[in-house]
């Protein structure tokens, strides 16, 4: 959704209605996660994807019907659904889509939502999926204000509180309420789609490997910063466009930088005077991933120094070192793939094993 919002906002500001299909729930080995979106705009232009190609043809027709009627639709496609099977959803999963028409009348805050997402300002969009409330009604929730309504004051109040909680976590998902926002009822389904700022990737050590890691980090959707104490190496021209480059001592920069449970920290310096004080700081703060480059000998020496610095076993256990999965990587680009693979595997609980050597669902429920 984040990727296609600029196009959607262009249609919206031009006064052109479009059909928007959003994945609101999945089961088994569904190809896309909740929040994935596809839109059908003027001249039947299509942007986005909800299934990686499996049901896009059927969704295209649904979106056209919804724009014509103005009535939102909730549709489920799965392997057991004969119609879905006919259009190719043979990957064994099931996806439920909310398809609605977006216009200035139905979504007066849409342009402001798109502007917030583009600027990296957090916002959650709550949309009624089913139940005794107007299907397709939306409520935009920022940390300090709201816009729109889901139909009743009680429902708006309850959803606003939950939306801000989900926004703090960067979480997206389906919630259920009573018609007036009652917490222990499930009459009304509301999809909470959180647009939190992109997670950060902090790369320390402005070497060739750092440029490759920064490039793949940006590709994965991280806001990437490269930091090195040596100004001659910490220059923007050595790194991909859009990557922030900072000349500072790594531990000092990290000490003054906010991190959270989505932050990725890659230490590529493999020099004790840089990486030991840096890792002392990193291993004592929130982060999703902390990896350090170096040989086995470098790793052993580093662990000894870190232990002597007073880090606990629990803190040291967070360190992924030597960094990356065993792919036999040689070039900086191959090493970057190895690092990215480990980050993704750790994020989703993957084994790192070839899929040909595993059994069960490819995309297990999280």
């Amino acid at each position: 959704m984040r990727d296609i919002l600029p196009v959607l906002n262009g249609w919206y500001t031009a006064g052109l209605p479009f059909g928007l299909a959003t994945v609101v729930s999945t089961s088994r080995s569904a190809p896309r996660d909740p929040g994935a979106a596809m839109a059908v705009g003027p001249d039947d232009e299509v942007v986005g994807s909800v299934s990686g190609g499996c049901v896009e043809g059927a969704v295209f027709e649904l979106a056209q019907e919804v724009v014509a009627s103005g009535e939102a639709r909730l549709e489920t496609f799965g392997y057991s659904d004969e119609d879905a099977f006919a259009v190719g959803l043979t990957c064994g999963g099931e996806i439920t889509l909310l398809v609605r028409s977006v216009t200035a009348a139905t979504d007066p805050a849409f342009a402001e939502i798109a502007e917030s997402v583009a600027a990296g300002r957090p916002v959650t969009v709550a949309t009624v999926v089913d139940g005794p409330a107007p299907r397709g009604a939306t409520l935009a929730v920022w940390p300090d204000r709201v816009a729109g309504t889901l139909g009743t004051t009680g429902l708006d109040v309850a959803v606003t509180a939950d939306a801000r909680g989900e926004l703090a976590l960067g979480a997206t998902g389906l919630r259920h309420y009573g018609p007036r926002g009652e917490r222990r009822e499930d009459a009304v389904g509301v999809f909470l789609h959180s647009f939190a700022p992109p997670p950060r990737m902090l790369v320390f050590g402005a070497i060739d490997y750092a440029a490759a890691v920064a490039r793949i980090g940006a590709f994965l959707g991280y806001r990437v910063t490269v930091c090195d104490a040596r100004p001659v190496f910490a220059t923007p021209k050595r790194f991909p466009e859009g990557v922030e480059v900072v000349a500072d001592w790594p531990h000092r920069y990290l000490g003054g930088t906010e991190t959270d449970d989505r932050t990725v920290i890659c230490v590529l310096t493999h020099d004790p005077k840089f990486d030991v004080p840096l890792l002392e700081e990193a291993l004592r703060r929130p982060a999703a991933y902390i990896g350090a480059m170096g040989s086995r000998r470098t790793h052993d020496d580093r662990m000894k120094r870190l232990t002597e610095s007073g880090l606990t076993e629990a803190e040291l256990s967070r360190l992924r070192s030597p960094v990356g999965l065993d792919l036999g990587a040689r070039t900086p680009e191959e090493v970057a793939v190895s690092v990215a693979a480990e980050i993704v595997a750790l994020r989703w609980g993957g084994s790192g094993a070839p899929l040909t050597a595993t059994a069960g669902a490819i995309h297990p429920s999280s």
Side-chain angles (χ1 to χ4, degrees), residues 313-344:
E313 277 192 35
E315 290 167 338
L316 290 171
S317 69
R318 301 176 61 207
L319 179 61
R320 316 290 291 194
S321 173
V323 70
L325 297 186
D326 180 11
L327 305 183
R330 292 290 188 272
T331 67
E333 291 74 20
E334 290 174 344
V335 170
V337 170
S338 166
V339 173
E342 185 175 45
I343 291 169
V344 173

Side-chain angles (χ1 to χ4, degrees), residues 204 266-280 283 290-311 316 319-323:
F204 294 96
C266 297
V267 179
L268 311 182
T269 51
H270 53 83
D271 183 333
K273 70 175 178 290
F274 293 126
D275 61 19
V276 171
L278 171 60
L279 287 169
E280 285 184 57
L283 293 169
I290 304 169
M293 177 178 281
S295 66
R296 301 287 183 188
R297 180 180 297 176
T298 298
H299 168 75
D300 291 342
D301 178 69
R302 180 190 293 136
M303 292 296 285
K304 179 183 177 181
R305 292 171 183 266
L306 290 172
T307 300
E308 291 172 349
S309 73
L311 287 168
L316 290 171
L319 179 61
R320 316 290 291 194
S321 173
V323 70

Side-chain angles (χ1 to χ4, degrees), residues 126-148:
T127 308
V128 173
V129 171
D130 58 10
R135 177 175 289 164
T138 61
L139 176 71
V141 181
W142 288 268
D144 57 350
R145 58 196 169 88
V146 300

Side-chain angles (χ1 to χ4, degrees), residues 30 38 45 110 121 150 180 258 343 352 359:
M38 167 182 157
E45 182 180 354
F110 189 88
R121 294 191 295 268
L150 302 181
R180 295 177 180 80
E258 184 178 349
I343 291 169

Side-chain angles (χ1 to χ4, degrees), residues 241-283:
E241 184 178 356
V243 171
E244 179 187 27
V245 181
V246 175
D248 198 354
W249 278 82
H251 71 281
R252 183 168 60 194
Y253 175 76
L254 182 59
T257 301
E258 184 178 349
T259 63
D260 60 26
D261 290 337
R262 301 186 301 152
T263 303
V264 165
I265 299 173
C266 297
V267 179
L268 311 182
T269 51
H270 53 83
D271 183 333
K273 70 175 178 290
F274 293 126
D275 61 19
V276 171
L278 171 60
L279 287 169
E280 285 184 57
E281 175 69 34
L283 293 169

Side-chain angles (χ1 to χ4, degrees), residues 26-31 54 77-81 84-85 88-95 360-363:
T26 65
S27 66
R28 303 194 304 278
S29 186
C54 297
F77 298 94
Y79 185 81
S80 60
D81 183 322
F85 185 77
L89 188 63
T90 58
C91 47
E94 184 175 274
I95 58 173
I362 294 175
H363 307 289

Side-chain angles (χ1 to χ4, degrees), residues 104-121:
T106 60
D107 288 78
F110 189 88
E112 192 175 3
I113 293 166
E115 181 183 354
S116 293
V117 174
R121 294 191 295 268

